[in-house]
Amino acid sequence: DVKVTQSSRYLVKRTGEKVFLECVQDMDHENMFWYRQDPGLGLRLIYFSYDVKMKEKGDIPEGYSVSREKKERFSLILESASTNQTSMYLCASSPTGITGANVLTFGAGSRLTVL
Amino acid sequence: SQQGEEDPQALSIQEGENATMNCSYKTSINNLQWYRQNSGRGLVHLILIRSNEREKHSGRLRVTLDTSKKSSSLLITASRAADTASYFCATDATGGNTDKLIFGTGTRLQVFP
């Protein structure tokens, strides 16, 4: 069964801490994405990557960075966590296909609370 | 930037009834997708409709697309309590295999047994 695995379901961190959210996919997908989800705002794209060591900013990249050293792993980094980064973080991946459709497979999500 | 806006924000129905959710978007698209999210979990892809299609079916799901009105609807027929979830539309605004999807704010569906 194909999977996107997010390393932590729940995290509690303190303001100023460095936070790593890890995501691994076993489907050999080229594209990987990080979204955050907040009530009333839906899903907002933070960063995405379409190849190893490649990254593109999404709509809300401020305060975040990403790393993609291997094809299967896409990490989201909060250099100095702040309370407004308390949110649900969703990782997703998709293949680069010939159909022109970008269908995402999501992980279960990581709920981060910053105190 | 929000590309898709779902309507209604919340919907409550009885088991056996049909549920209709609508999505409006702003720019030209290649395709539109619907996803489902159970509470506190990730999203699951339900169905994709291309810009040159007007209607698509998958089991109890029926999706329509009106590109002239920039809108889509998702119909769930004969709903079940297990259909309780949030439903999101997603569009690719610029086309291409690797373009990002932009999601709407979702419709929360509650199906009472």
Side-chain angles (χ1 to χ4, degrees):
Chain A
D1 193 18
V2 294
K3 261 195 314 193
V4 176
T5 303
Q6 294 184 231
S7 56
S8 303
R9 286 283 286 133
Y10 300 95
L11 301 94
V12 179
K13 298 292 181 181
R14 297 208 174 271
T15 300
E17 279 193 78
K18 190 169 186 176
V19 181
F20 292 88
L21 299 179
E22 306 286 346
C23 176
V24 177
Q25 51 97 1
D26 64 2
M27 297 167 283
D28 201 35
H29 285 173
E30 290 78 13
N31 310 315
M32 296 189 76
F33 306 82
W34 276 105
Y35 288 87
R36 67 175 280 178
Q37 183 178 23
D38 301 287
L41 297 178
L43 277 74
R44 293 179 291 167
L45 183 63
I46 305 171
Y47 267 97
F48 64 105
S49 167
Y50 52 87
D51 202 353
V52 176
K53 296 192 185 296
M54 303 298 288
K55 61 184 179 183
E56 296 281 346
K57 292 180 179 179
D59 297 319
I60 52 164
E62 296 78 19
Y64 303 94
S65 63
V66 289
S67 172
R68 191 153 181 216
E69 296 296 317
K70 294 184 178 181
K71 188 176 185 180
E72 66 271 19
R73 187 178 297 270
F74 192 37
S75 303
L76 180 69
I77 303 155
L78 288 66
E79 293 289 343
S80 178
S82 63
T83 54
N84 62 12
Q85 292 178 309
T86 291
S87 187
M88 169 72 102
Y89 290 88
L90 293 165
C91 175
S93 70
S94 69
T96 298
I98 59 173
T99 63
N102 193 18
V103 176
L104 302 185
T105 300
F106 280 86
S110 297
R111 186 167 293 281
L112 172 66
T113 301
V114 182
L115 303 175
Chain B
S1 59
Q2 293 291 346
Q3 166 74 317
E5 296 289 337
E6 284 91 342
D7 168 56
Q9 289 187 344
L11 180 61
S12 295
I13 59 174
Q14 295 291 131
E15 258 189 338
E17 294 181 341
N18 295 341
T20 300
M21 289 158 270
N22 303 296
C23 169
S24 60
Y25 57 91
K26 298 174 184 174
T27 64
S28 296
I29 61 172
N30 289 320
N31 57 70
L32 183 145
Q33 302 178 47
W34 285 90
Y35 287 78
R36 165 197 168 122
Q37 183 182 35
N38 285 11
S39 180
R41 308 295 295 184
L43 280 73
V44 175
H45 174 76
L46 292 177
I47 194 167
L48 177 149
I49 186 165
R50 300 188 186 279
S51 59
N52 62 354
E53 297 176 310
R54 293 295 167 260
E55 188 170 310
K56 201 160 183 181
H57 297 252
S58 177
R60 294 185 294 113
L61 304 181
R62 183 188 129 200
V63 170
T64 61
L65 179 64
D66 187 335
T67 53
S68 67
K69 295 181 179 178
K70 292 186 169 57
S71 67
S72 173
S73 67
L74 171 67
L75 168 68
I76 304 174
T77 60
S79 64
R80 305 166 182 167
D83 294 328
T84 294
S86 292
Y87 293 83
F88 295 85
C89 67
T91 54
D92 61 339
T94 56
N97 291 340
T98 59
D99 279 346
K100 59 186 183 182
L101 287 185
I102 301 175
F103 287 80
T105 53
T107 293
R108 291 188 313 278
L109 173 65
Q110 174 83 52
V111 182
F112 292 99

